[in-house]
Amino acid sequence: MTDVMTDMIGTDAGGGPVDARLRADGVTLGYDGRVIAEELSVDIPTGSFTVIVGPNACGKSTLLRALARVMKPSAGTVLLDGADIASYPAKAAARLLGLLPQTSIAPEGITVADLVARGRHPHQGLFRQWTSADERAVAEALVATSTADLAARPVEELSGGQRQRVWVAMVLAQETPLLLLDEPTTFLDIAHQYELLELLRRLHAAGDRTLVAVLHDLNQAARYADHLVVMSDGRVVTTGEPGDVLTAELVEQVFGLPCTIIPDPHTGSPLVVPRPRG
């Protein structure tokens, strides 16, 4: 790493304190004895649409899994509303935080409506029956994701883009203030990628929900996020608004890509234009 990269490690491009219901504090993460990230700290600004970006194998999805309570750190703590997220009962955590994993498999023959209804599980008790509140949450999730007309269809019959919207609907039906999405555009063609990202932008704009997503495409991240977390080699390089953190220097240092940054002609967000090598 160069001195420029070293100077950026752990800084916040926006400066000042961050209001964060969800944060990682000095966590060490890994699989099968192999450390992916060590002493990693990051705040997720409340009410933000945060996107985590970085090169392959830098720890993006690992961090998201830890924030989602799927992975337990070997050191450090993930904090949800100031308390160790591991201290929450499973259903209590699921009423606060919803996760859309990279790959999801629906039970054979299940309809869209029945799958989305499973998002209400965290709100069900041992003796609690299906209520009008559950019905409303499912109906609103179907409408929000434009899947209401698919409600009676088996999930297995849907296209990739339709299925992904249905999975988003299921997570929305949980009615959580925090929504985490791990590479939600993977396996979608470019039209369906933008369709899904537009949906997420509308959902974010419509309420007080905090969204956190892992994306590979820097231009998509810059266009849809209002807060970026840039990672490299298991560390947070910098965080902040896309216009503040996405510079040609950072992109070359982190991704090894010589580029020019220009304003997107439609949104004004940073647009990464690769430069020819040599």
Side-chain angles (χ1 to χ4, degrees):
M1 296 285 181
T2 67
D3 289 340
V4 172
M5 175 68 75
T6 302
D7 290 342
M8 289 190 293
I9 299 284
T11 64
D12 189 323
V18 176
D19 174 22
R21 296 186 64 180
L22 183 64
R23 65 188 307 264
D25 185 11
V27 300
T28 296
L29 305 167
Y31 303 92
D32 301 324
R34 183 170 66 93
V35 173
I36 304 296
E38 194 168 14
E39 297 184 3
L40 179 64
S41 296
V42 66
D43 292 344
I44 304 300
T46 299
S48 69
F49 188 168
T50 291
V51 173
I52 305 171
V53 296
N56 288 342
C58 73
K60 302 185 298 295
S61 291
T62 301
L63 171 60
L64 192 84
R65 287 168 61 83
L67 292 172
R69 200 174 176 263
V70 173
M71 171 181 283
K72 185 177 181 179
S74 58
T77 310
V78 173
L79 298 168
L80 176 59
D81 289 338
D84 185 343
I85 197 170
S87 69
Y88 284 79
K91 280 194 174 182
R95 288 192 292 269
L96 294 172
L97 187 150
L99 171 67
L100 180 66
Q102 283 188 34
T103 54
S104 303
I105 300 175
E108 185 175 355
I110 193 169
T111 66
V112 167
D114 287 341
L115 181 64
V116 175
R118 293 193 174 199
R120 299 303 296 165
H121 176 70
H123 301 273
Q124 305 296 314
L126 186 60
F127 301 108
R128 185 179 183 275
Q129 301 298 311
W130 188 261
T131 68
S132 58
D134 297 319
E135 198 71 37
R136 173 196 52 76
V138 170
E140 289 181 356
L142 290 167
V143 170
T145 54
S146 301
T147 54
D149 60 332
L150 305 174
R153 292 183 58 183
V155 174
E156 61 204 34
E157 293 182 0
L158 305 181
S159 70
Q162 289 172 324
R163 281 197 302 272
Q164 198 71 329
R165 282 190 283 128
V166 169
W167 285 112
V168 172
M170 188 190 77
V171 179
L172 286 181
Q174 283 182 237
E175 294 189 310
T176 60
L178 292 149
L179 177 57
L180 279 59
L181 307 104
D182 193 2
E183 300 186 21
T185 58
T186 300
F187 308 124
L188 298 181
D189 62 38
I190 190 167
H192 285 120
Q193 288 178 25
Y194 279 95
E195 179 183 78
L196 180 62
L197 290 168
E198 288 289 343
L199 165 62
L200 296 177
R201 176 158 64 182
R202 291 195 301 272
L203 293 174
H204 176 248
D208 299 325
R209 188 179 283 112
T210 301
L211 272 63
V212 188
V214 171
L215 294 178
H216 282 290
D217 189 302
L218 279 179
N219 288 330
Q220 290 179 346
R223 183 170 187 155
Y224 291 97
D226 55 29
H227 184 78
L228 291 182
V229 175
V230 183
M231 293 188 65
S232 180
D233 297 324
R235 295 180 291 175
V236 173
V237 176
T238 188
T239 67
E241 296 181 7
D244 293 331
V245 304
L246 268 190
T247 64
E249 184 179 32
L250 178 135
V251 173
E252 184 163 5
Q253 293 288 345
V254 173
F255 296 90
L257 179 68
C259 69
T260 300
I261 306 291
I262 63 173
D264 184 299
H266 297 291
T267 66
S269 59
L271 187 64
V272 178
V273 181
R275 292 203 315 265
R277 295 180 183 271

